């Protein structure tokens, strides 16, 4: 299968499994010759930023006394960025996460943090594959 | 992206808005978001809309950019949650300093948050993820802001009337209709009512309306003003700096100066709820002349005319009438009189008129009139420095919503001028110069928006209350001496009315004395035929106040009244006032504070 086909299949699969929503399509639509790397840039930013936020969340929730306001702020940010790239699953998990923050439930937060982490890394893995495929499609050798 | 690239994109993008004219193409947007993902997306979306985009991830940087290049941006889009500065704060600052439209952006779509954004002045509130369709029309906010500003600054009667009506409409339901009517009346009744333009111009230092566009201290403008003042520090806020900080066209340093004066008075008034007496004292010292003059004049007017009627003022007929009417109601309010300082100067006529009018109101009317407003007012005026002022501002920049006015005033009055109300009652018996001064002070402490107040007063006046006895009538009393005078006049008017009303039904005290602004009930004193100490002092045949009766009544009032100086002034001082008034009647002498430019209508 050509890289292009693989890419298309991958993206279709991501939509089908609810990892992505139509916001991602918006991103795709914004990409044009004047900004050929737009999607990959945004996706890369999201992956970096998301990882950072998850790290911060883990730190905050690791404390004996949890500052739920700060936790909430980070979750809110992750929610915003995931919504912006169309990361549906991650976004929904963030919404759940915020509820636990409102309730000030450390257990709930920890549990949801795990879910977020899983969902995020799943998405990130697929994004990385996607970016690689895209590079291939654009004539670049795949990174390893 | 460079502008060329933007244009290139524009050419490619299926831009629905082919843009007959260049705008909104190339509209300069500053995008602020600490989330790099969102920021990048936003940038791209905006570029797709053919806007010229600048991005930054920090609010501080955004402010810096805006400050350095004031005219280089048309619109700001900002995230709500940012680490270095609250998005709302940025919103306020931008609105204040640069007067640019700001759109809030957030993943949080909770009603409360959205509400907060709007109340802080955001033009719009978008939810993430932002769709390009939403961004295609954001240029409307720029256009709207531009035309709004033009309207704000280049005032004319119609605009202000419209605004007043709008403000009225926004006010309480009860007052809404009245306000509309009032503002209409005010607007149409050029002969009698104060011409807002006139008033404004007066406030601005012009004697003619045509010379300068009236400055309407709209909610937005005032908010900017307040923000500037707060930023500078109330002590260091000088008009020039405020003006610079506000960065609004079409207002002069003088506009700001007069507004600042009122605002200071307002703050002062608010801050002395507990120590009203002290304020009154201070006020008295400073404002006696004005008040005294007003009161005396009013009294004179009353005596002369024995009725309250709108008297066409000579040179300030419009404002005067308006003021006169306003003054009457203001009586209770004390400083609620609308005040444009200049107008107050002209108010002499008004006051006289008012007094005349007041006098004209029969007892029944007077009492009723007085009574009702008092009640209303008692709950109206909000307390707290920002409350009344803000609420006032919000209510009706130009023509007050009577309902609102009442609200605003009563609360304020009750909070800060409890005594005043009592005074009002007392004044019925015969305002004393002294108390009036303090009264004035009190009124002056009531902040305000001179134009607005006038409008409000006008509105109140036109409410149809024969005597706008209510606190409602006086939206804000400016600290200027004219306010004092107005108050004084009002007081006098009230007292005159009370006194002169026919004895049997002169239950003014019932209404007058019954309630203090804060709603506390004062002992009823019936101003009936009996010259009992407890009762009111019936007017003499010729409409004069029976000094003795007044005095006795005043004494009674004095006892009733608290120890506030104002009260004392009013009640205890009523004697003096009466004396003075009589003196005034007899000869224009002796009244130390009369500034000599009173005219009897």
């Amino acid at each position: 299968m050509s890289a292009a086909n693989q890419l298309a299949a991958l993206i279709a699969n991501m939509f089908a499994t609810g990892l992505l929503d139509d916001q991602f399509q918006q991103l795709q639509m914004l990409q044009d010759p004047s900004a050929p790397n737009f999607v990959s840039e945004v996706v890369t930013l999201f992956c970096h930023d998301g990882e950072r936020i998850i790290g911060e969340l883990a730190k905050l929730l690791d404390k004996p006394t949890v500052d739920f306001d700060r936790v909430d702020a980070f979750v809110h940010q992750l929610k915003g960025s995931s919504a912006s790239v169309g990361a549906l699953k991650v976004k929904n998990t963030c919404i759940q996460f915020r509820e636990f923050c409102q309730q000030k439930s450390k257990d709930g937060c920890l549990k949801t943090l795990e879910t977020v982490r899983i969902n995020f890394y799943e998405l990130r893995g697929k994004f990385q594959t996607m970016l690689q495929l895209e590079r291939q499609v654009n004539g670049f050798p795949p990174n390893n | 992206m460079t502008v060329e690239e933007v244009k290139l994109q524009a050419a490619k993008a299926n831009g629905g808005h082919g843009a007959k004219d260049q705008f909104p193409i190339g509209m300069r947007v500053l995008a602020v978001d600490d989330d790099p993902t969102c920021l990048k997306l936003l940038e791209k979306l905006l570029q797709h809309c053919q806007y010229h985009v600048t991005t930054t991830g920090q609010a501080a940087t955004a402010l810096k950019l805006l400050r350095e290049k004031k005219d280089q941006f048309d619109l700001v889009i900002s995230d709500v949650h940012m680490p270095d500065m609250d998005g709302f704060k940025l919103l306020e600052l931008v609105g204040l300093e640069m007067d640019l439209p700001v759109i809030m952006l957030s993943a949080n779509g909770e009603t409360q948050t959205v509400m907060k954004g709007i109340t802080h002045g955001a033009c719009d509130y978008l939810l993430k993820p932002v769709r390009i369709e939403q961004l295609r029309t954001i240029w409307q906010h720029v256009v709207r802001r531009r035309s709004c500003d033009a309207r704000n600054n280049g005032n004319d009667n119609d605009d202000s009337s419209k605004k007043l009506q709008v403000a009225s409409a926004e006010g309480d339901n009860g007052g809404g209709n009245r306000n509309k009517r009032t503002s209409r009346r005010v607007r149409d009744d050029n002969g009698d009512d104060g011409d807002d333009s006139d008033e404004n111009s007066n406030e601005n230092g012009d004697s003619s309306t045509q010379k300068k566009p009236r400055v309407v201290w709209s909610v937005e403008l005032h908010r900017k003003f307040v923000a500037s003042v707060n930023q500078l520090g109330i002590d260091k806020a000088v008009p020039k700096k405020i003006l610079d900080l506000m960065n609004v066209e079409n207002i002069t340093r003088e506009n700001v100066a007069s507004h600042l004066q009122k605002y200071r008075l307002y703050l002062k008034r608010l801050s002395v709820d507990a120590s009203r007496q002290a304020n009154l004292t201070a006020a008295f010292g400073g404002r006696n002349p004005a008040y005294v003059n007003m009161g005396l004049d009013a009294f004179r007017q009353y005596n002369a005319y024995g009725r309250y009627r709108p008297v066409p003022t000579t040179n300030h007929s419009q404002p005067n009438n308006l003021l006169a009417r306003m003054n009457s109601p203001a009586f209770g309010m004390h400083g609620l009189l609308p005040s444009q300082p200049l107008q107050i100067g002209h108010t002499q006529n008004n006051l006289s008129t008012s007094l005349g009018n007041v006098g004209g109101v029969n007892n029944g009317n007077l009492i009723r009139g007085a009574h009702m407003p008092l009640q209303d007012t008692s709950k109206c005026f909000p307390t707290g420095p920002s409350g009344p002022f803000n609420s006032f501002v919000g209510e009706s920049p130009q023509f007050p919503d009577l309902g609102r006015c009442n609200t605003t005033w009563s609360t304020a009055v009750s909070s800060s001028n409890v005594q005043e109300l009592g005074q009002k009652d007392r004044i019925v018996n015969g305002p004393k110069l002294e108390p009036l001064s303090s009264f004035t002070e009190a009124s002056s402490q009531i902040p305000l928006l001179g134009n607005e107040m006038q409008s409000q007063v006008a509105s109140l006046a036109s409410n149809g209350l024969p005597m706008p006895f209510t606190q409602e009538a006086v939206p804000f009393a400016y600290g200027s001496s004219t306010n004092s005078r107005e108050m004084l006049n009002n007081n006098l008017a009230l007292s005159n009315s009370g006194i002169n009303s026919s004895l049997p039904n002169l239950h003014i005290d019932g209404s007058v004395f019954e309630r203090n602004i804060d709603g506390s009930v004062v002992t009823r004193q019936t101003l009936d035929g009996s010259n009992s100490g407890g009762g009111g002092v019936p007017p003499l045949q010729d409409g004069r106040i029976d000094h003795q009766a007044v005095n006795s009544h005043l004494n009674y009032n004095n006892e009733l009244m608290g120890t506030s100086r104002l009260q004392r002034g009013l009640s205890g001082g009523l004697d003096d006032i009466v004396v003075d008034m009589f003196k005034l009647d007899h000869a224009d002498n002796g009244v130390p504070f009369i500034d000599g430019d009173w005219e009897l209508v």
Side-chain angles (χ1 to χ4, degrees):
Chain A
M1 207 194 308
S2 71
N5 287 347
Q6 284 179 1
L7 181 59
L10 172 63
I11 293 179
N13 172 265
M14 287 167 86
F15 276 112
T17 53
L19 276 178
L20 294 177
D21 61 19
D22 62 349
Q23 176 65 18
F24 187 77
Q25 283 173 334
Q26 295 270 315
L27 288 186
Q28 289 177 307
M29 283 194 323
L30 287 173
Q31 179 156 307
D32 53 30
S34 66
N37 301 319
F38 176 68
V39 176
S40 62
E41 283 171 6
V42 176
V43 164
T44 308
L45 277 173
F46 170 72
C47 290
H48 282 155
D49 210 38
E51 191 164 6
R52 175 186 69 88
I53 291 176
I54 289 178
E56 296 283 346
L57 284 171
K59 269 195 277 183
L60 283 173
L61 286 170
D62 202 23
K63 296 198 170 143
T65 314
V66 177
D67 184 347
F68 284 102
D69 288 337
R70 287 197 69 199
V71 173
D72 187 68
F74 275 118
V75 174
H76 177 82
Q77 191 179 350
L78 183 60
K79 178 182 164 204
S81 53
S82 58
S84 298
V85 301
L88 180 65
K89 220 180 208 177
V90 175
K91 180 186 85 175
N92 288 340
T93 316
C94 286
I95 295 175
Q96 282 178 353
F97 204 143
R98 290 200 79 201
E99 303 227 342
F100 286 117
C101 286
Q102 306 288 330
Q103 298 165 17
K104 302 213 190 296
S105 157
K106 186 173 178 179
D107 283 344
C109 285
L110 281 169
K111 201 165 134 236
T112 320
L113 176 62
E114 267 318 294
T115 312
V116 165
R117 201 196 296 265
I118 292 170
N119 290 343
F120 175 80
Y121 283 115
E122 176 192 5
L123 179 63
R124 191 177 83 144
K126 302 219 162 152
F127 270 149
Q128 283 171 337
T129 309
M130 186 182 85
L131 294 182
Q132 282 202 1
L133 284 172
E134 207 173 353
R135 273 195 291 272
Q136 279 183 279
V137 167
N138 292 336
F140 296 100
N143 292 346
N144 281 337
Chain B
M1 247 199 191
T2 65
V3 176
E4 290 69 35
E5 282 171 313
V6 171
K7 287 197 182 138
L8 190 63
Q9 272 192 344
K12 290 182 187 145
N14 50 333
H17 42 278
K20 318 165 222 174
D21 46 75
Q22 273 304 302
F23 186 85
I25 290 180
M27 184 174 78
R28 301 156 303 176
V29 182
L30 176 65
V32 189
D33 195 334
D34 64 319
D35 184 337
T37 314
C38 300
L39 189 62
K40 185 146 191 74
L41 173 65
L42 186 60
E43 180 188 29
K44 198 73 172 62
L45 288 169
L46 291 168
Q47 285 167 349
H48 259 249
C49 295
Q50 307 166 46
Y51 304 138
H52 183 269
V53 189
T54 311
T55 62
T56 172
Q58 300 217 335
T61 315
L63 268 179
K64 187 160 152 290
L65 274 174
L66 288 166
R67 282 173 180 153
E68 279 172 9
K69 310 173 184 188
K70 277 203 167 164
D71 297 326
Q72 293 208 7
F73 295 104
D74 298 310
L75 178 73
V76 178
I77 300 184
S78 168
D79 186 34
V80 167
H81 296 261
M82 288 188 288
D84 64 333
M85 187 190 298
D86 185 24
F88 298 119
K89 183 89 181 137
L90 175 67
L91 162 63
E92 271 191 9
L93 287 174
V94 172
L96 162 69
E97 293 182 26
M98 290 108 207
D99 190 28
L100 286 177
V102 181
I103 294 179
M104 300 306 289
L105 196 58
S106 178
N108 183 353
E110 286 160 21
T111 307
Q112 270 189 336
T113 320
V114 178
M115 179 83 73
K116 195 172 171 193
I118 302 303
T119 54
H120 278 71
C123 297
D124 206 348
Y125 193 107
L126 302 178
L127 292 189
K128 291 181 183 174
V130 180
R131 309 280 297 206
I132 195 167
E133 297 81 31
Q134 294 177 290
L135 294 176
R136 285 203 199 279
T137 54
I138 56 174
W139 55 267
Q140 65 179 285
H141 302 294
V142 177
V143 175
R144 188 179 301 123
R145 178 71 63 113
R146 285 181 194 162
S147 55
C148 266
D149 281 347
R151 254 208 313 278
N152 280 345
N153 292 330
N155 313 301
D156 57 55
N157 281 349
D158 287 341
D159 279 349
S160 40
S161 301
K162 268 190 237 140
K163 283 186 182 143
L164 284 170
Q165 290 192 341
V166 170
S168 300
E170 292 170 351
D172 293 339
N173 289 340
N177 293 337
R178 275 185 304 165
N179 288 340
K180 285 202 182 99
R181 181 160 50 88
T182 300
S183 47
R184 257 205 310 280
R185 263 171 76 170
V186 173
R187 193 160 42 109
D188 298 337
D189 210 356
N190 284 331
D192 284 343
D193 295 350
D195 182 340
D196 278 349
S197 294
D198 277 339
E199 296 172 349
N200 287 331
S201 338
N202 286 340
E203 183 178 49
N204 295 342
D206 281 348
S207 52
S208 70
T209 40
Q210 292 73 23
K211 266 203 163 181
K212 243 195 270 186
R214 185 165 64 110
V215 172
V216 174
W217 283 93
S218 66
V219 181
E220 184 187 22
L221 203 58
H222 176 68
R223 196 168 49 77
K224 278 190 214 160
F225 169 85
V226 174
S228 310
V229 169
N230 290 338
Q231 197 169 332
L232 292 167
I234 186 69
D235 294 329
K236 298 204 187 89
V238 289
K240 184 84 177 72
K241 285 189 190 159
I242 297 173
L243 188 63
D244 288 338
L245 206 54
M246 283 177 68
N247 193 25
V248 174
E249 290 177 75
N250 298 336
I251 58 173
T252 67
R253 197 201 66 79
E254 293 128 45
N255 301 147
V256 175
S258 73
H259 195 71
L260 178 66
Q261 184 186 21
K262 294 166 194 163
Y263 184 60
R264 283 215 176 103
L265 290 165
Y266 166 82
L267 292 180
K268 208 171 17 157
R269 190 187 64 73
L270 291 172
S271 71
V272 295
D273 279 0
S275 56
R276 181 162 158 266
Q277 189 169 356
N279 290 337
L280 290 175
T281 305
F284 183 74
R287 308 207 186 270
N288 280 343
Y291 275 119
V292 172
N293 288 336
M294 294 196 322
L296 287 175
D297 192 35
F299 184 76
R300 223 172 355 150
Q301 288 300 322
Y302 179 78
N303 280 343
Y305 294 90
R307 62 194 173 84
Y308 178 80
R309 62 176 176 80
V311 177
T313 57
T314 53
N315 42 353
H316 323 285
S317 52
Q318 294 173 349
N320 286 342
N321 289 332
L322 193 60
L323 278 172
R325 273 184 267 168
M326 299 193 284
N327 288 341
S328 297
F331 183 84
M333 301 295 280
H334 281 299
L336 296 180
L337 286 180
S339 55
Q340 288 189 345
L342 288 180
Q343 288 220 328
I344 297 206
H346 300 303
T347 357
Q348 297 173 7
N349 293 334
N350 290 339
L351 290 175
S352 307
T353 306
S354 322
L355 287 179
N357 291 340
V358 171
V361 177
N362 67 36
N363 294 340
N365 291 342
L366 184 61
I367 296 173
R368 279 196 291 275
H371 192 61
M372 295 200 304
L374 286 177
Q375 291 175 342
D376 292 339
T377 53
S378 62
K379 41 175 170 35
C380 293
F381 209 82
T383 54
S386 57
F389 197 72
N390 290 341
S391 59
F392 183 84
V393 174
E395 290 176 358
S396 51
Q398 270 112 43
F399 280 97
D401 175 330
L402 274 179
R404 300 184 106 176
C405 201
N406 296 338
T407 310
T408 318
W409 279 111
S410 25
T411 318
V413 177
S414 48
S415 60
S416 56
N417 298 320
V418 174
Q419 301 243 341
E420 291 177 347
L421 184 55
Q423 300 243 348
K424 179 165 69 163
D425 297 344
R426 288 355 175 242
I427 288 184
V428 171
N429 290 318
K432 188 180 179 138
L433 283 186
E434 180 188 329
L436 286 175
S437 303
S438 43
F439 200 90
T440 308
E441 175 71 9
S443 55
S444 56
Q445 290 178 359
I446 296 185
L448 345 187
L449 312 172
N451 296 336
E452 293 156 17
M453 285 184 47
Q454 287 185 343
S455 309
Q456 291 196 352
V457 172
S459 311
L460 289 171
S462 38
N463 259 351
L465 290 176
M467 190 135 85
F469 212 151
T470 65
Q471 301 178 348
E472 307 170 3
V474 183
F476 281 115
Y478 288 90
S480 64
S481 59
T482 50
N483 292 333
S484 308
R485 271 204 244 149
E486 289 174 272
M487 288 199 336
L488 189 60
N489 284 337
N490 286 341
N491 295 338
L492 284 175
L494 286 173
S495 48
N496 286 340
S497 317
I499 293 175
N500 283 341
S501 24
S502 60
L503 307 183
N505 2 347
L506 193 60
H507 275 274
I508 291 181
D509 58 353
S511 51
V512 173
F513 300 96
E514 201 163 78
R515 309 174 58 112
N516 286 327
I517 289 182
D518 65 359
S520 64
V521 177
V522 182
T523 304
R524 273 187 86 119
Q525 303 173 7
T526 41
L527 204 60
D528 56 16
S530 67
N531 280 344
S532 62
V537 178
L540 299 176
Q541 281 292 326
D542 61 341
R544 297 284 201 84
I545 292 180
D546 179 335
H547 189 165
Q548 300 307 323
V550 172
N551 284 342
S552 62
H553 191 65
L554 287 174
N555 290 333
Y556 180 80
N557 290 338
N558 286 340
E559 291 163 25
L560 291 180
M561 300 194 67
T563 51
S564 77
R565 228 182 109 178
L566 186 60
Q567 284 184 345
R568 238 184 333 106
L570 282 179
S571 51
L574 282 174
D575 292 356
D576 300 342
I577 291 175
V578 172
V579 173
D580 289 334
M581 291 197 295
F582 277 111
K583 271 197 215 159
L584 186 60
D585 250 341
H586 295 287
D588 285 347
N589 61 356
V591 180
F593 304 105
I594 288 193
D595 59 12
D597 53 350
W598 288 97
E599 353 174 0
L600 274 176
V601 178

